Amino acid sequence: MSTEQNKKIILRLFSEGIMERKFHVFDELIADGFINHCNLNAKTGPAGYGDYVHELLNAFPDLKVNIQQIIADGDTVATRGFIYGTHDGNYMGQLPTGKKIRFNYFDFWKIRNNKCAECWLQMDLAGVMDQLRPLQVAL
């Protein structure tokens, strides 16, 4: 598999699977033994990845991902960009605030047999929680 083909797998995962909410592509693009290294309690496989995406979408129903850069080397693909949306659902114990947020991310994907086998994701969670925090009024 070429690096360009590997990039296309990841771009399709983001564009169709997340942005267009065509969740059936997870079955096509995520390996049965897929490991999500960013969530220690994540289930494996397409269903586990789907659960992770649905958790984000429940918290941020209008969630969008803006990929600013994609790089591939052999069977590894990396993307960098930002995620934005409106906090209309529970997220990490934080009740809905209705606030619009934006945070940076980067990830690395391992591709095997034309499917995503592993993912490592870093999101600016401190920035997310800071944006969701209620405003403090000084007296």
Side-chain angles (χ1 to χ4, degrees), residues 58-96:
N58 286 333
F60 307 97
D62 61 345
L63 181 133
K64 300 288 184 201
V65 179
N66 184 309
I67 298 174
Q68 296 177 298
Q69 186 174 22
I70 184 167
I71 300 169
D73 182 21
D75 63 357
T76 302
V77 178
T79 72
R80 176 189 62 79
F82 61 90
I83 298 169
Y84 59 99
T86 308
H87 182 227
D88 284 334
N90 189 12
Y91 184 68
M92 298 181 69
Q94 176 66 49
L95 295 176

Side-chain angles (χ1 to χ4, degrees), residues 85-125:
T86 308
H87 182 227
D88 284 334
N90 189 12
Y91 184 68
M92 298 181 69
Q94 176 66 49
L95 295 176
T97 62
K99 292 181 178 182
K100 295 196 179 299
I101 65 158
R102 179 188 186 278
F103 56 95
N104 297 320
Y105 84 93
F106 63 89
D107 57 17
F108 288 85
W109 297 84
K110 186 65 74 173
I111 309 295
R112 290 191 193 103
N113 300 319
N114 300 326
K115 292 193 175 196
C116 302
E118 297 180 73
C119 177
W120 295 262
L121 169 68
Q122 288 292 313
M123 297 188 306
D124 179 13
L125 290 179

Side-chain angles (χ1 to χ4, degrees), residues 26 30-35 43-50:
F26 297 158
I30 302 290
D32 288 339
F34 172 80
I35 300 171
K43 294 183 225 168
T44 60
Y49 184 73

Side-chain angles (χ1 to χ4, degrees), residues 122-136:
Q122 288 292 313
M123 297 188 306
D124 179 13
L125 290 179
V128 171
M129 299 314 283
D130 189 49
Q131 291 175 70
L132 297 180
R133 185 176 307 138
L135 292 175
Q136 300 294 322

